Structure formats: C-alpha cells, structure tokens
Amino acid sequence: MMPKITTNRRKWKADLMNRVQTVDDNDRPATDYTFKRVTYFKPLGVTAQEKALSVQEKAEVVKRINIVMDHTINTKDFGIRIGEQLYNIERIWTDDEKREMELSLSYVD
C-alpha cells in the first residue's frame, strides 16, 4: 500500500487586502484597507538573516508565509489580514517552478 502524499499544506486562511490612500476629516492622508479575496497560507519561520535585513530597512519582519503564486501581488498596493491583525508585505520571494511565493510580513503601524 502506497503512503498518502500531502500535496497542499496551506490550511490557514488569510485575507488579501488592497491598500487604498484616502484623506481623513482633517485633510491628512490616511491608509485604508479593503478586502480583495481569501488566500490560504502555510506559516514559515523568520530567519535571523531576514531579521537583520529588516532592521536595516526600518521595518521589523515578524511573520513569513507561503501562498500560491499570484503575480498581481506587490509590496506597495497590498496587505494581509490574519485574524484581526493587519500586516504590510515587506518582501516577496517567488518560486516559479513550484508555483508558490513567500511573503515577509511586518505589523501595520
């Protein structure tokens, strides 16, 4: 009997959010997030090298996730919501052969 092979380990749900620049009541620029779609992810650990790089860039990476490949996602226009916590996307690494991408996330200020 052949052992079962798990082909999809992405079992956690996150919301992909569009980042929209708006103006608040006092005419100051404000960032708002609107829901785009649900995506499934697999949590990954944050490496020491990535921690060091993120400190240099003034944004501390607190979480890394693996999602299915989506070429429309970029660091400027999108964010991720996991539960009630919003995250900015700091870095995107893609693996075209496996059709997946890793996102490095930091807390929204």
Side-chain angles (χ1 to χ4, degrees):
M1 187 171 198
M2 296 281 295
K4 286 187 179 179
I5 297 174
T6 306
T7 56
N8 186 3
R9 295 182 183 271
R10 294 181 199 97
K11 56 185 173 184
W12 303 102
K13 224 185 240 193
D15 297 331
L16 184 63
M17 309 293 282
N18 273 339
R19 185 182 304 165
V20 182
Q21 292 294 332
T22 58
V23 177
D24 66 5
D25 295 337
N26 297 324
D27 288 337
R28 292 182 299 205
T31 304
D32 195 26
Y33 290 87
T34 58
F35 176 80
K36 181 171 182 185
R37 67 177 171 83
V38 169
T39 185
Y40 290 89
F41 73 93
K42 173 177 71 173
L44 303 170
V46 180
T47 62
Q49 179 183 5
E50 189 153 32
K51 283 266 191 198
L53 286 173
S54 70
V55 168
Q56 291 175 358
E57 297 170 4
K58 306 279 190 281
E60 186 179 354
V61 171
V62 293
K63 191 180 215 61
R64 268 180 57 223
I65 61 173
N66 173 295
I67 64 171
V68 74
M69 178 75 78
D70 183 352
H71 289 292
T72 62
I73 296 175
N74 60 45
T75 57
K76 190 180 88 174
D77 300 326
F78 292 92
I80 299 282
R81 183 173 66 202
I82 300 173
E84 295 300 314
Q85 180 65 51
L86 271 169
Y87 296 95
N88 286 324
I89 301 172
E90 295 299 329
R91 186 185 68 83
I92 299 174
W93 180 82
T94 59
D95 187 347
D96 291 326
E97 289 182 9
K98 291 184 180 177
R99 297 196 40 76
E100 61 187 22
M101 57 200 298
E102 292 178 9
L103 306 178
S104 297
L105 308 175
S106 67
Y107 291 126
V108 172
D109 295 335

